[in-house]
Amino acid sequence: MIKVGIIGSTGYAGGELVRILTGHKEAEIVWYGSRSYIDKKYAQVYQNMFQIVDAVCMDDNMEELAGQVDVIFTATPQGLCASLVNEEILSKVKIIDLSADFRIKDVSVYEKWYGIEHKSPEFIKEAVYGLCEINREDVKKARLVANPGCYTTCSILTAYPLAKEGLIDMSTLIIDAKSGTSGAGRGAKLANLYCEVNENIKAYGVATHRHTPEIEEQLGYAAGEKVLLNFTPHLVPMNRGILATEYAKLTKEVTYEEVKAIYDKYYADEKFVRVLDKDVCPETKWVEGSNYVDINFKIDERTGRIIMMGAMDNLVKGAAGQAVQNMNLMFGLKETEGLELVPMFP
Ligand SMILES: NC(=O)C1=CN([C@@H]2O[C@H](COP(=O)(O)OP(=O)(O)OC[C@H]3O[C@@H](n4cnc5c(N)ncnc54)[C@H](OP(=O)(O)O)[C@@H]3O)[C@@H](O)[C@H]2O)C=CC1
Ligand SMILES: CC(=O)N[C@@H](CCC(=O)OP(=O)(O)O)C(=O)O
């Protein structure tokens, strides 16, 4: 059994880690980390765990935890993991960080977009960007995984095959994305109050959202060139789900069958990426609660553009599910263990 510690187990991403790992046959959570609920039963924080999880929440101490578990998930605010990790800890335990601390390779880009000083830049180079479908072999060998962001996972996987094959002009790429409010976390914020979110849709972080450089960097590696793109997120009145609609000029004339063959080349064997049948648009409701990303595309012959679409659950493939997928790879387990979650509906 793999022993797991979760720092930030009481947040939305941490709560989803607990839900998924509770059904995992090879892993056992031994540390439910929290600052606000120390000594309180975990099932009192999240009542869906009543009579399922009997443990109490414990104060976080990464040094102490490193000696007791095989893997630590940090589902905590930006900057926290980077401020705690050190060589001694990494020599004892594997870390999967759900925050953005180790996602961006250029520390000055991280510091500019996040507005915080990076406390352990010496580990950025070593950290593996944990997008399993793309970096599977590196994840298997990693001791520190940077779990990708929610918008970024959906945006990158949706465009990746076409970027990699040079089929889209990367300078024309525009990503329009929508997210449910759980993407903003459980902490009380004015912008996330019921009356602010309900019956409302708004763009935010326009031209400044911190996921922009992460998407640019990863799609830049795929395309083999520096990528600058427009990424506009929107907050929509639902709990979970991300929908990304991406537009780009095609670099040559192609048929539906040719583009479909490219998507199949990358994803036909990927359990968690479903390229839908022709003309079926991805919808968040058909992936809710699951680790799937649903993808499709449409060629607009009139404008010479292709429209790519992706839908995903931000808390599962966009956070906890992907983190468990990374853990499975790091420990040589079946990649899908604990993740064969059928989407829920309604
Ligand atoms: N929500 C989402 O859809 C996604 C989130 N992420 C990332 O996951 C991380 C967690 O996000 P999310 O769950 O939404 O956030 P929440 O605000 O819901 O939860 C934050 C968690 O971090 C804990 N925490 C806060 N400050 C500290 C601290 N100084 N020391 C230790 N623990 C602390 C909180 O503990 P307590 O309340 O017990 O004090 C809580 O458990 C973030 O980095 C986020 O970017 C990534 C992908 C998707
Ligand atoms: C709706 C909402 O507020 N979403 C978050 C994205 C959350 C996320 O998962 O991204 P990270 O992993 O990088 O934190 C945001 O826009 O900042």
Side-chain angles (χ1 to χ4, degrees):
M1 267 305 193
I2 289 160
K3 287 194 163 34
V4 174
I6 303 174
I7 300 184
S9 70
T10 57
Y12 280 160
E16 195 68 351
L17 272 171
V18 172
R19 182 176 79 91
I20 292 171
L21 288 168
T22 300
H24 196 293
K25 293 194 188 76
E26 314 265 359
E28 166 196 21
I29 306 172
V30 299
W31 190 297
Y32 294 78
S34 168
R35 287 169 321 163
S36 316
Y37 302 100
I38 300 166
D39 294 335
K40 195 163 184 162
K41 278 197 155 196
Y42 189 81
Q44 285 178 297
V45 182
Y46 283 120
Q47 209 172 328
N48 59 332
M49 289 300 149
F50 182 61
Q51 293 186 351
I52 298 173
V53 172
D54 199 35
V56 295
C57 298
M58 285 174 276
D59 196 4
D60 295 317
N61 180 332
M62 198 187 260
E63 303 255 359
E64 195 186 325
L65 192 50
Q68 299 183 22
V69 299
D70 303 300
V71 59
I72 297 174
F73 292 91
T74 46
T76 43
Q78 315 305 330
L80 190 81
C81 183
S83 72
L84 298 176
V85 74
N86 60 43
E87 182 53 40
E88 200 190 329
I89 290 171
L90 275 174
S91 68
K92 291 187 195 152
V93 72
K94 293 180 195 285
I95 295 181
I96 301 171
D97 178 29
L98 278 75
S99 83
D101 290 1
F102 297 99
R103 294 179 196 158
I104 295 171
K105 290 296 169 199
D106 183 339
V107 69
S108 66
V109 172
Y110 171 90
E111 291 184 341
K112 177 174 160 234
W113 287 79
Y114 283 82
I116 49 178
E117 185 193 345
H118 200 294
K119 291 289 170 39
S120 52
E122 66 275 26
F123 296 114
I124 294 178
K125 189 163 183 283
E126 167 182 349
V128 173
Y129 189 74
L131 197 49
C132 310
E133 287 73 14
I134 294 172
N135 294 328
R136 182 170 284 119
E137 294 313 311
D138 289 335
V139 169
K140 287 179 185 170
K141 295 175 270 179
R143 30 177 220 170
L144 174 59
V145 160
N147 210 58
C150 52
Y151 283 121
T152 47
T153 296
C154 196
S155 302
I156 295 164
L157 287 175
T158 298
Y160 179 80
L162 304 193
K164 185 90 180 157
E165 297 287 326
L167 208 73
I168 47 177
D169 176 349
M170 298 303 286
S171 69
T172 66
L173 182 59
I174 293 173
I175 302 177
D176 173 302
K178 284 115 192 147
S179 172
T181 49
S182 62
R186 202 181 191 208
K189 295 174 199 105
L190 180 69
N192 298 333
L193 292 176
Y194 182 80
C195 286
E196 308 284 329
V197 175
N198 189 38
E199 294 181 30
N200 189 35
I201 300 180
K202 64 172 184 184
Y204 66 102
V206 180
T208 58
H209 194 277
R210 62 198 174 81
H211 282 181
T212 310
E214 190 180 328
I215 302 168
E216 287 179 343
E217 181 173 322
Q218 294 302 322
L219 286 180
Y221 295 146
E225 63 181 279
K226 186 170 168 52
V227 169
L228 290 179
L229 52 80
N230 289 108
F231 167 70
T232 308
H234 300 75
L235 189 65
V236 296
M238 57 187 197
N239 289 345
R240 293 166 179 250
I242 298 241
L243 182 72
T245 312
E246 314 190 14
Y247 307 82
K249 280 264 184 206
L250 286 158
T251 52
K252 61 177 183 183
E253 273 191 26
V254 278
T255 63
Y256 167 83
E257 287 72 23
E258 286 167 331
V259 178
K260 177 70 165 55
I262 290 177
Y263 273 103
D264 286 345
K265 174 177 164 189
Y266 289 87
Y267 295 145
D269 296 331
E270 291 296 344
K271 166 79 181 174
F272 297 121
V273 183
R274 304 191 296 192
V275 181
L276 303 181
D277 290 339
K278 192 173 184 198
D279 293 333
V280 179
C281 293
E283 297 183 39
T284 55
K285 71 179 175 188
W286 300 127
V287 289
E288 190 170 346
S290 81
N291 203 45
Y292 291 112
V293 185
D294 282 0
I295 292 175
N296 217 345
F297 66 91
K298 182 96 183 175
I299 297 165
D300 183 352
E301 282 158 14
R302 218 172 44 84
T303 59
R305 289 180 174 272
I306 188 162
I307 300 149
M308 300 155 277
M309 298 156 281
M312 187 197 76
D313 187 321
N314 54 297
L315 289 176
V316 189
K317 183 62 176 167
Q322 179 138 263
V324 171
Q325 198 179 343
N326 276 310
M327 180 193 83
N328 290 341
L329 288 170
M330 292 163 95
F331 287 89
L333 307 175
K334 189 169 87 157
E335 189 172 331
T336 56
E337 175 53 43
L339 295 170
E340 305 211 18
L341 307 160
V342 176
M344 36 191 196
F345 180 75

